[in-house]
Amino acid sequence: NAGVTQTPKFQVLKTGQSMTLQCAQDMNHEYMSWYRQDPGMGLRLIHYSVGAGITDQGEVPNGYNVSRSTTEDFPLRLLSAAPSQTSVYFCASSRRTAVGNTIYFGEGSWLTVV
Amino acid sequence: GQQLNQSPQSMFIQEGEDVSMNCTSSSIFNTWLWYKQDPGEGPVLLIALYKAGELTSNGRLTAQFGITRKDSFLNISASIPSDVGIYFCAGLSYGQNFVFGPGTRLSVLP
């Protein structure tokens, strides 16, 4: 995928544990975002950032925290994992072309909370 | 939150057949994107559309930005086994975040 790197690929957590999903992009994109993907649903926005030092909530932000200290990195933190957070998580970054936006995704992080 | 509608939800076709799928919304969009997602992988951008009525091709894939700006279409010609996967659309309005469809699952029978 176009320069968006996510780690880890797979993770199993116990309820109540915390963890951080890492995301980095090397395309100098200003806009970065985190989505979760659940069966039968479209990607849902968790948090996003329009630049270093700026973050905002998306559609489903509860239970997650983000920070954007650099243009390249946008980690997602699960504060106290719950089974409802079992999902596939995608980090994405976006550029603005001359005519519009195009968004690129990482390869995903499969998270299971037991 | 706002979501897009995609149809069909799934389809089974014979190798060599043409495929059509669409994405609809109650809102107007300025950008439509089409992605393919293979199992265990992230979505990969196939085609980007930025203007109402625009028709854009990428190999055997052709996508159109609907005139009403509320829909988009993706066609695949002469399907092959590697076309198997989930295809989903994304729409963007000015000042908003992207919204995504739930996907169309394509299976290609040899």
Side-chain angles (χ1 to χ4, degrees), chain A residues 1-69:
Chain A
N1 283 317
V4 180
T5 304
Q6 281 182 243
T7 56
K9 180 86 170 182
F10 300 99
Q11 183 73 49
V12 179
L13 286 179
K14 293 182 179 179
T15 298
Q17 285 185 318
S18 63
M19 77 157 297
T20 298
L21 300 177
Q22 302 292 342
C23 178
Q25 53 94 6
D26 60 3
M27 297 174 283
N28 202 31
H29 288 174
E30 292 188 348
Y31 182 96
M32 295 186 73
S33 50
W34 277 100
Y35 296 86
R36 59 177 290 170
Q37 186 178 45
D38 299 295
M41 303 184 72
L43 291 160
R44 292 185 293 167
L45 183 64
I46 304 171
H47 285 285
Y48 65 97
S49 168
V50 298
I54 305 170
T55 63
D56 209 343
Q57 296 182 348
E59 181 185 353
V60 288
N62 293 339
Y64 306 95
N65 210 352
V66 292
S67 60
R68 184 93 180 271
S69 57

Side-chain angles (χ1 to χ4, degrees), chain A residues 1 9 31 35 37 40-45 48 57 59 90 94 96-97 99-108 110, chain B residues 1-3 30-31 33 35 37 39-45 48 50 88 90 92 94 96-103:
Chain A
N1 283 317
K9 180 86 170 182
Y31 182 96
Y35 296 86
Q37 186 178 45
M41 303 184 72
L43 291 160
R44 292 185 293 167
L45 183 64
Y48 65 97
Q57 296 182 348
E59 181 185 353
F90 289 100
S94 177
R96 181 179 292 276
T97 68
V99 294
N101 287 334
T102 309
I103 190 166
Y104 296 93
F105 291 90
E107 293 193 347
W110 273 252
Chain B
Q2 182 184 17
Q3 296 287 326
N30 303 104
T31 295
L33 306 175
Y35 291 86
Q37 186 176 15
E41 302 293 332
V44 175
L45 181 67
Y50 300 119
F88 64 88
L92 179 67
Y94 286 135
Q96 303 297 316
N97 289 299
F98 284 96
V99 291
F100 295 87

Side-chain angles (χ1 to χ4, degrees), chain B residues 51-73:
Chain B
K51 185 178 178 181
E54 180 181 357
L55 187 71
T56 298
S57 293
N58 178 6
R60 294 178 295 105
L61 279 62
T62 302
Q64 184 163 23
F65 194 136
I67 291 293
T68 66
R69 295 166 62 192
K70 293 183 177 182
D71 55 11
S72 180
F73 308 88

